[in-house]
Amino acid sequence: MADAASAERAMLRVCRSGLDITELQRQVLSTLRTAITIDAAYFATADPESLLITGAVSEDPLIALAPLLLDNELTGRDVNVFNDLVPTPGHVRSLDTATRSEWTASPRYRDIMRPNGLGDELRAALVVGGHCWGYMCLNRLDGGLGFTDTDADLLRRLAPHIAHALRQAVLLHRTLQDVPLRPGVVLLDEAMELVATTPEADELLPLIGHGSTRLPLPVSVYTVAGALGTSDLPPSVRVPATTGGWLTLHASRLVSASESRIAVVVEPAEPQSTLGVLLAAYGLTTRELDVARLVLRGDSTKAISNSLHISTHTVQDHLKSVFDKVGVRSRRDLVGHLLSGQRGP
């Protein structure tokens, strides 16, 4: 095993290499294994606005357990679920810590992990700049030692760098080309079993990376469908396409007298729908995001000043910082850059 300092230096090199998401996931897990004993791992990407999982890489025996683990995650009725780690200071916690060493208090451990030979888990929400870009779960086999505070502290130090690398990867996606413009529909039953798809969906679904979960459909289809009922608004998620650009998935429930179905609409994303993700990917602060959104809406400096209750001088300071981070020189350049789908720096 490498010492923590060596592992941190190696991870920084990986995270600064400008890798695509698939290669980044592979090298991050490989580097972690030089300092932490990991028997199985799960590494997912997330939509920073909805916090829903957009894709995942999973290892045996977690691959076979993917449907059960995803259902456990989406119900939110367990300890140490990913969404709960996002607002938690440090964003990293083991099952041992979350249950105070009473692992059987977790339905995930009791009903899924233990019957399949899995023991302690170390989970992380990958957060940087106030936005979550993914999740990670590292597992140990049952009967062995759990994760130590030293393991958790190392992952806690590395997680922001991994999150930053995921955020940078968002800027590598180009405008989607040569794909059907009409939305596709995926129809699921209440058990999340596939009922039917439209021809348009059959063309769009292969553009969503499946990762290695071995689910019949991309994990993002199940996450957006499983999020139904968790808020007043229909769930929606933006997913990077394998050919570049973005796809949007929306879910809604279809109810008849005899049965209930879940419809997931898949369609190429309009540039405006990805603005929040792109602005966050450039590392804008919360106030800079507010100013940028109002600029993109066409508001003047005076109107932005009135809306945000800040001086016009402060608006200009924030706007200069936005220009510097995005790599443009004017409002017109900012609008054109973000709405044209150009590749980021």
Side-chain angles (χ1 to χ4, degrees):
M1 283 278 176
D3 61 83
S6 297
E8 288 186 60
R9 289 194 295 270
M11 186 65 77
L12 286 175
R13 288 194 295 270
V14 168
C15 292
R16 292 170 179 171
S17 298
L19 302 172
D20 63 33
I21 289 175
T22 300
E23 183 62 17
L24 176 68
Q25 289 170 317
R26 186 188 71 79
Q27 291 199 28
V28 162
L29 292 177
S30 177
T31 304
L32 282 174
R33 281 189 161 97
T34 66
I36 301 175
T37 299
I38 302 168
D39 295 314
Y42 178 85
F43 187 172
T45 53
D47 182 323
E49 293 189 322
S50 69
L51 300 182
L52 294 176
I53 292 170
T54 58
V57 168
S58 190
E59 300 174 351
D60 285 325
L62 299 175
I63 293 177
L65 303 177
L68 294 174
L69 292 169
L70 185 60
D71 180 67
N72 172 271
E73 196 68 38
L74 292 172
T75 62
R77 295 190 293 270
D78 206 338
V79 298
N80 221 26
V81 294
F82 289 131
N83 276 10
D84 288 347
L85 290 176
V86 176
T88 299
H91 314 295
V92 172
R93 188 167 53 204
S94 68
L95 178 66
D96 191 66
T97 298
T99 62
R100 299 183 179 180
S101 301
E102 294 292 336
W103 297 0
T104 55
S106 164
R108 181 171 58 256
Y109 171 75
R110 190 176 61 245
D111 302 333
I112 304 173
M113 295 163 59
R114 185 173 62 176
N116 289 278
L118 293 172
D120 197 13
E121 64 177 16
L122 182 61
R123 289 186 159 210
L126 303 172
V127 177
V128 67
H131 295 92
C132 179
W133 298 93
Y135 307 107
M136 187 178 292
C137 181
L138 312 179
N139 288 86
R140 292 260 175 91
L141 294 178
D142 210 5
L145 297 175
F147 289 97
T148 65
D149 290 341
T150 300
D151 295 329
D153 288 341
L154 176 60
L155 184 58
R156 194 172 289 114
R157 292 196 300 272
L158 295 177
H161 300 292
I162 301 169
H164 177 78
L166 288 174
R167 185 178 73 181
Q168 289 299 106
V170 166
L171 301 179
L172 300 178
H173 294 285
R174 294 181 180 273
T175 304
L176 205 59
Q177 300 291 337
D178 300 323
V179 298
L181 297 178
R182 290 183 298 174
V185 179
V186 178
L187 198 62
L188 306 172
D189 64 19
E190 286 295 325
M192 296 290 182
E193 296 291 335
L194 179 63
V195 176
T197 60
T198 64
E200 292 82 4
D202 291 338
E203 292 187 66
L204 290 169
L205 287 174
L207 302 180
I208 304 174
H210 281 242
S212 58
T213 58
R214 293 183 191 164
L215 293 166
L217 295 167
V219 66
S220 51
V221 174
Y222 297 107
T223 55
V224 75
L228 276 169
T230 59
S231 70
D232 295 335
L233 298 175
S236 176
V237 64
R238 281 73 47 85
V239 182
T242 57
T243 54
W246 296 80
L247 298 170
T248 301
L249 284 70
H250 316 272
S252 58
R253 196 175 301 278
L254 307 176
V255 181
S256 68
S258 60
E259 58 187 3
S260 176
R261 293 285 188 261
I262 297 171
V264 177
V265 177
V266 187
E267 59 186 344
E270 294 292 333
Q272 292 87 343
S273 71
T274 62
L275 286 177
V277 176
L278 291 175
L279 288 171
Y282 281 107
L284 272 59
T285 65
T286 300
R287 184 56 88 188
E288 289 166 357
L289 283 168
D290 293 337
V291 170
R293 287 192 177 101
L294 293 174
V295 168
L296 293 169
R297 195 174 71 177
D299 287 11
S300 66
T301 298
K302 181 63 175 177
I304 295 172
S305 171
N306 292 335
S307 295
L308 301 181
H309 306 291
I310 57 179
S311 70
T312 55
H313 179 73
T314 302
V315 172
Q316 294 291 1
D317 285 343
H318 286 313
L319 197 51
K320 181 181 183 302
S321 181
V322 170
F323 291 165
D324 289 343
K325 290 180 178 180
V326 177
V328 296
R329 296 184 177 181
S330 68
R331 291 172 179 245
R332 178 178 296 179
D333 290 345
L334 179 68
V335 173
H337 184 76
L338 291 173
L339 296 183
S340 68
Q342 296 175 19
R343 183 173 175 168

